[in-house]
Amino acid sequence: MTVQIISTCPIDGQKPGTSGLRKKTRTFVVPGYLENFVQSIFDAIGGLAGKTLVLGGDGRFFNIEAAQAILKMAAANGAAKVIVGQNALLSTPAASCVIRSRTAAGGIILSASHNPGGPDADFGVKYNIANGGPAPESVTAAIHARTQTISEYRILDTADVALDQLGETMLGAMTVEVIDPVADYMALMETLFDMEAIRGLFTSGFRMRFDAMHAITGPYAKAILEGRLGAPGGTVINATPLPDFGGGHPDPNPAHAGDLMALMFGAEAPEFGAAADGDGDRNMIVGRGIYVSPSDSLAVLAANAHLAPGYRGGLAGVARSMPTSRAVDRVASSLGIACFETPTGWKFFGNLMDAGKATLCGEESFGTGSDHVREKDGLWAVLLWLNILAVRRQPVAQIMQEHWSGYGRDYYSRHDYEGVDTNRANAMIDGLRARLPELPGTQAAGLTVSAADDFCYIDPVDGSVTEHQGIRILFGDEARAVFRLSGTSTEGATLRVALERFEPDPALHGLDPQQALAKVIAAADTIADIRGHTGRDSPDVLT
Ligand code: VG1
Ligand code: CO
């Protein structure tokens, strides 16, 4: 067993995006590609000597091979210990939980999240810091800088570790501890929710369907919903993580979780439906006959969190990403707590949670979470909803109607245009940015632009500045269009257009969001000339 020092050259494009480095799997499997990036992480964080790391992934194609290589590299770089999920599995929130519960120096999560998996799909690597959260911009920038100067990586020349057996083994001088991926996470959930109340809900005949989308939440949802909480067998579907997620797109939204949506709007609908993404940090909430938008879900959770034991003392504050609707802002102002607006990406919430400024955080992209970990957490959101339902004993539709009656409704929709030519997408955003000063006062589709800017975030905790985080166009009557390009796509550019409008009148709370937003949609297209720039008549994904 010897440490091999392998010469290498910098590889272009190893720049982490919104959430880690995501590339085509066929790029990642090229010898040296993963190793270069992982060594760059180790180098950028000041080496691994004596440190403990957490390691796991969402089970997609290349997960286990990558984990074996990373273990050998960690040993060759002098790590004291790596705590790894059995069979190299850990959901993103569980990895965050384990980093915190075991006070590790950080962790590596192998996932491209909601992107499809398989030899012809996507793979990814994320690095999380000691607070359990995604590496902040300063760290990802240092990792990227290192990928541009790297000249060698270190790896132990030895056999693979048996990752199917729980317990400790040695890899050279490094301890490998294989853990049950669910245990620490389940113990944390026990501290937050009234498990007996939720059990009682299921005993009373309440039925739900949880679609794990053949991804990592399956084992967690089975153990917690069916095992601990007594939901009937079959509540969790598509529960076995598959390397290609069954050929599907593990993104819990109405477009990609179509079967669940059909069930929830059909004659046999159970009371409650939910789904999670590839790495288990996203969630979709659906009631019988009603879809709950992620922005609304965040607002409802903020308004009702005190019904769960973990949040009985109230919330310190809330935070949402800029393109998320302002529904949660209304709850925060009625609770008299702060509401922070951050750029897209969970890494921006870490400082706020560490500083005790925000308890709940959320993104319009089906992400909700709290300061129990430092990642968004799909199953946590489902459990908080269940706890609220166990206390209120009302249908989801009634909870939503009462919420909108009290706060007003923020109609919301996001239109995604995928695989757009990168130059054309950049030209569109650059063009909009150049026209920002002249937009206020102009009219489009009957709406008047009241303000327009390019979102810039100044972190209230460390003062760091993050620019160019999306073009915001505000109209009178509390309507808004937001334009930004995705930082997670692996092919061309993805244009995301977030559209919203506030409706105070309860008589108008039952509209189809696309109709309620028709003018905003038309105004956004007129101002940005989406059709002209993308060459598309309609979005690829509409949520
Ligand atoms: C998307 C979402 C963003 C989310 C990110 C990671 O980023 O919009 O809100 O934090 O994915 O989610 P982008 O840059 O493509 O818009 V996950 O569950 O894919 O780690
Ligand atoms: Co995810």
Side-chain angles (χ1 to χ4, degrees), residues 41 141 146 184 225 229 237 256 262 278 357 375 386 423 439 479 493 496 510:
I41 296 175
R146 183 61 186 153
D184 286 37
L225 298 175
L229 295 169
I237 57 166
H256 295 304
K357 289 178 179 293
E375 286 278 7
L386 284 171
N423 292 330
L439 284 177
R496 305 204 193 281

Side-chain angles (χ1 to χ4, degrees), residues 34 40 50 78 148 153 178 224 253 329 407 430 460 462 496 532:
L34 171 84
S40 298
Q148 296 174 309
Y153 65 83
V178 179
I224 297 175
N253 63 36
D329 302 33
Y407 297 96
D430 292 346
D462 66 16
R496 305 204 193 281

Side-chain angles (χ1 to χ4, degrees), residues 148-352:
Q148 296 174 309
T149 60
I150 188 168
S151 60
E152 59 186 38
Y153 65 83
R154 301 166 79 85
I155 188 160
L156 212 58
D157 178 21
T158 183
D160 284 355
V161 182
L163 292 176
D164 52 345
Q165 322 240 336
L166 296 180
E168 294 195 351
T169 48
M170 296 304 289
L171 194 61
M174 182 183 90
T175 306
V176 177
E177 184 185 355
V178 179
I179 61 164
D180 173 353
V182 180
D184 286 37
Y185 179 82
M186 171 120 97
L188 180 58
M189 294 302 115
E190 294 275 352
T191 69
L192 300 173
F193 302 115
D194 186 342
M195 302 304 241
E196 294 319 309
I198 304 174
R199 252 193 108 79
L201 183 68
F202 283 118
T203 310
S204 74
F206 176 93
R207 292 293 169 259
M208 80 170 283
R209 185 69 59 90
F210 182 96
D211 189 347
M213 304 190 82
H214 305 288
I216 190 66
T217 352
Y220 295 85
K222 276 238 163 225
I224 297 175
L225 298 175
E226 296 182 14
R228 174 68 178 88
L229 295 169
T235 293
V236 182
I237 57 166
N238 302 323
T240 305
L242 299 176
D244 66 348
F245 307 119
H249 204 125
D251 195 353
N253 63 36
H256 295 304
D259 291 351
L260 180 69
M261 291 297 284
L263 174 77
M264 296 307 297
F265 282 83
E268 303 294 312
E271 280 88 348
F272 188 57
D277 75 331
D279 62 333
D281 55 359
R282 297 185 178 205
N283 73 92
M284 176 173 76
I285 299 295
V286 202
R288 180 187 282 154
I290 185 165
Y291 160 71
V292 182
S293 83
S295 298
D296 275 346
S297 177
L298 174 65
V300 169
L301 294 182
N304 293 277
H306 61 278
L307 300 177
Y311 307 94
R312 198 150 277 159
L315 309 175
V318 293
R320 62 162 172 84
S321 67
M322 182 273 282
T324 304
S325 97
R326 289 161 295 182
V328 75
D329 302 33
R330 304 181 201 286
V331 176
S333 87
S334 117
L335 290 172
I337 58 174
C339 177
F340 298 89
E341 184 176 42
T342 61
T344 293
W346 209 261
K347 59 190 164 205
F348 295 101
F349 295 131
N351 275 350
L352 296 172

